[in-house]
Amino acid sequence: MATKPKKIPMRFLLWWHRHIGLTVAIVAIHLAITGILLNHTSDIGLDKAYINNSTVLNLYDIKLPEQLPGYKIENNWLSHWNDVIYFNDQVIAESMQPLRGAVITAHFYALATSEEIWLLTIDGEIIEKISAPGEKLGDIVSIGTQGNNVTINTEQGVFKADNDLIAWQPVKADSINWSQQAYVPKELTELLFAEGHSISWERLLLDLHSGRIATRAGTLLVDLAGVALLLLAITGFTIWLKRRKK
Amino acid sequence: MRKYLFFILLMVTTIIQARGVYQHPDAFLDDVFSGEVPKPKFVWFTGETGKQATSILKHKPASLRTRYWSKGKRSVWILEEIGKEKFITTGIVINDNKIEKVKVLIFRESRGWEIKRNEFTQQFSNATLTSEGNLSKRIDGISGATLSVKAVTRLSHLALYLHSIVVKSDGN
């Protein structure tokens, strides 16, 4: 004779439902608030708003080195931090390639990343990005000038450009004024750090929602909360069914 | 076990495929002009050209001028536009006021790489500018790549407009 499956006592279910509910309440509120905000980040501009708080930035291991390397042309500083190239404190554009130097010619400023040369106005506006030398000449190591012409030192040797930076000719490395790296003044370094431009509020919300902000422990906590919410739903549904039968 | 390994390998390959340099702009130009690349010329985004470019891109162009390469009725444009967060570099060939070829050259975004597929880029073939200055063809989107699709569509529209400007100024 088959034995009847043992029924789960109502008191047992209620106890678990209550305690799971109380335990998971704070995490559920946290998930609900961050979830609602995440659904509307574009509408309220959180995807374009960046965090300036150094404590929060420290959570992402974003620390400005004590001295930020850069290149000075006339009275302007060009620097590269956190995948962004700055003209003084102004963002020029994002670049994942390292900054190799900056020079001034008769008509424009020119900066070099490892793969591109950007021509800039004296106000730091991009005239043009030139990626042409990359494939044929290899990565750019440094940039300089010979007279008014831009020269680059690449993996394939030293090359000099014509006035419009269209054609590149090999040249001897004599009498070239290479761009020299220096350190950005402290005041400007602090300003760049304060302006951030790195972690958006959307990213922070996403990491808070997933628990990733607190690395593995945070993710695990959110995972456990997810399981607890599942149990809450199951026990709640079972209690409702049992009461309905009565 | 082998099935799982296959799927893991497939996923890794897909991620590797997503970002990167599909073709260097120099190699694209060499292909288009069969190795005899003409000297580039410039178009400045000033005055009416700047206004129209801003209207097509829905924002100010990222630079003050762009290069183009032309021979006969053909012109080639290497243009960049942001999909969601990063620039997508695209090569566009215009021949006799029609799009001959669109090719995604460098893709830096983490999502939306499907736009590099020929099935997508071939949709632009033979597209022209309408009398109102719009793109003559409707481009079908790709699920999950909406922003990248829009970026390449805007660049194709811009290339057709810039071609029409240089044809007038060069007297072709």
Side-chain angles (χ1 to χ4, degrees):
Chain A
M1 203 173 87
T3 52
K4 254 187 164 181
K6 225 179 176 182
K7 280 187 178 175
I8 306 166
M10 186 68 153
R11 195 182 291 172
F12 175 83
L13 276 174
L14 279 169
W15 190 91
W16 274 105
H17 189 71
R18 194 179 303 127
H19 284 84
I20 293 171
L22 284 170
T23 315
V24 86
I26 292 170
V27 187
I29 293 167
H30 160 83
L31 289 175
I33 294 172
T34 51
I36 292 167
L37 284 171
L38 274 171
N39 270 348
H40 302 282
T41 47
S42 302
D43 306 328
I44 47 182
L46 295 180
D47 55 339
K48 298 271 186 272
Y50 295 91
I51 297 166
N52 297 332
N53 186 292
S54 57
T55 316
V56 179
L57 289 175
N58 280 341
L59 292 172
Y60 288 92
D61 279 334
I62 295 175
K63 283 175 193 147
L64 198 65
E66 282 191 16
Q67 288 182 304
L68 179 68
Y71 298 88
K72 192 179 182 190
I73 38 174
E74 296 188 310
N75 289 321
N76 301 301
W77 280 94
L78 282 140
S79 56
H80 184 234
W81 175 58
N82 226 11
D83 291 343
V84 172
I85 292 185
Y86 290 91
F87 181 81
N88 299 320
D89 62 337
Q90 171 195 332
V91 174
I92 303 180
E94 283 189 22
S95 172
M96 296 209 279
Q97 285 93 44
L99 184 60
R100 299 297 201 200
V103 293
I104 179 170
T105 73
H107 307 291
F108 42 72
Y109 291 164
L111 73 79
T113 68
S114 59
E115 290 180 9
E116 290 180 326
I117 293 172
W118 299 3
L119 307 184
L120 308 175
T121 65
I122 53 166
D123 299 320
E125 208 172 348
I126 299 174
I127 299 171
E128 194 187 357
K129 285 184 190 176
I130 302 160
S131 63
E135 177 147 295
K136 287 177 181 166
L137 312 182
D139 272 7
I140 299 169
V141 179
S142 54
I143 185 168
T145 49
Q146 195 178 57
N148 269 324
N149 293 91
V150 172
T151 52
I152 48 172
N153 183 16
T154 73
E155 289 169 341
Q156 302 293 324
V158 180
F159 294 85
K160 182 166 117 175
D162 60 5
N163 290 339
D164 288 321
L165 283 88
I166 291 170
W168 297 84
Q169 298 296 329
V171 69
K172 281 187 180 171
D174 307 332
S175 65
I176 293 172
N177 289 322
W178 293 110
S179 170
Q180 298 295 326
Q181 195 181 69
Y183 288 111
V184 175
K186 203 180 168 206
E187 302 76 40
L188 183 55
T189 307
E190 282 169 359
L191 189 63
L192 295 184
F193 187 47
E195 286 184 353
H197 297 289
S198 49
I199 302 291
S200 69
W201 283 99
E202 183 186 46
R203 165 88 187 272
L204 177 67
L205 273 174
L206 202 63
D207 291 343
L208 282 169
H209 190 72
S210 62
R212 248 177 275 144
I213 193 84
T215 60
R216 278 188 91 172
T219 320
L220 192 68
L221 180 74
V222 173
D223 286 348
L224 287 173
V227 174
L229 285 169
L230 261 175
L231 287 173
L232 199 67
I234 294 165
T235 51
F237 184 71
T238 318
I239 292 165
W240 173 77
L241 263 183
K242 277 178 172 273
R243 283 189 173 153
R244 205 164 162 250
K245 277 180 188 171
K246 279 181 183 174
Chain B
M1 187 65 183
R2 274 186 190 174
K3 261 187 192 173
Y4 289 121
L5 275 174
F6 172 75
F7 282 117
I8 289 165
L9 198 68
L10 194 71
M11 278 171 71
V12 170
T13 321
T14 310
I15 292 163
I16 290 167
Q17 272 186 339
R19 281 192 248 189
V21 180
Y22 302 142
Q23 188 175 23
H24 193 278
D26 282 355
F28 178 71
L29 288 166
D30 275 342
D31 270 4
V32 173
F33 292 107
S34 309
E36 290 176 11
V37 182
K39 202 176 162 186
K41 298 173 195 168
F42 303 100
V43 175
W44 287 84
F45 293 116
T46 51
E48 188 55 28
T49 311
K51 275 186 200 165
Q52 287 298 325
T54 305
S55 157
I56 292 166
L57 293 173
K58 297 182 172 59
H59 60 80
K60 227 174 119 190
S63 58
L64 293 173
R65 75 180 186 194
T66 189
R67 289 173 184 221
Y68 69 99
W69 294 258
S70 69
K71 201 185 258 181
K73 290 183 174 178
R74 286 169 106 203
S75 68
V76 178
W77 305 83
I78 310 279
L79 301 171
E80 286 191 328
E81 174 69 335
I82 288 176
K84 181 170 166 57
E85 288 171 337
K86 310 266 181 213
F87 280 107
I88 300 166
T89 307
T90 311
I92 302 158
V93 185
I94 312 288
N95 192 351
D96 201 11
N97 297 315
K98 287 179 192 164
I99 292 180
E100 180 185 310
K101 186 179 189 178
V102 171
K103 184 163 188 182
V104 176
L105 303 176
I106 306 172
F107 191 81
R108 303 170 180 88
E109 299 270 12
S110 53
R111 279 193 271 173
W113 60 270
E114 296 87 346
I115 57 162
K116 78 165 187 171
R117 288 181 175 154
N118 286 341
E119 301 87 74
F120 170 71
T121 53
Q122 273 168 4
Q123 293 185 86
F124 292 93
S125 296
N126 293 319
T128 57
L129 279 185
T130 63
S131 50
E132 291 83 30
N134 298 320
L135 202 63
S136 66
K137 278 188 158 184
R138 196 178 166 278
I139 304 301
D140 292 334
I142 301 171
S143 167
T146 314
L147 294 173
S148 301
V149 167
K150 283 184 179 172
V152 175
T153 308
R154 287 197 294 271
L155 290 181
S156 305
H157 188 176
L158 180 65
L160 276 169
Y161 167 72
L162 293 174
H163 177 88
S164 72
I165 295 289
V166 300
V167 163
K168 278 180 205 161
S169 64
D170 293 353
N172 285 332

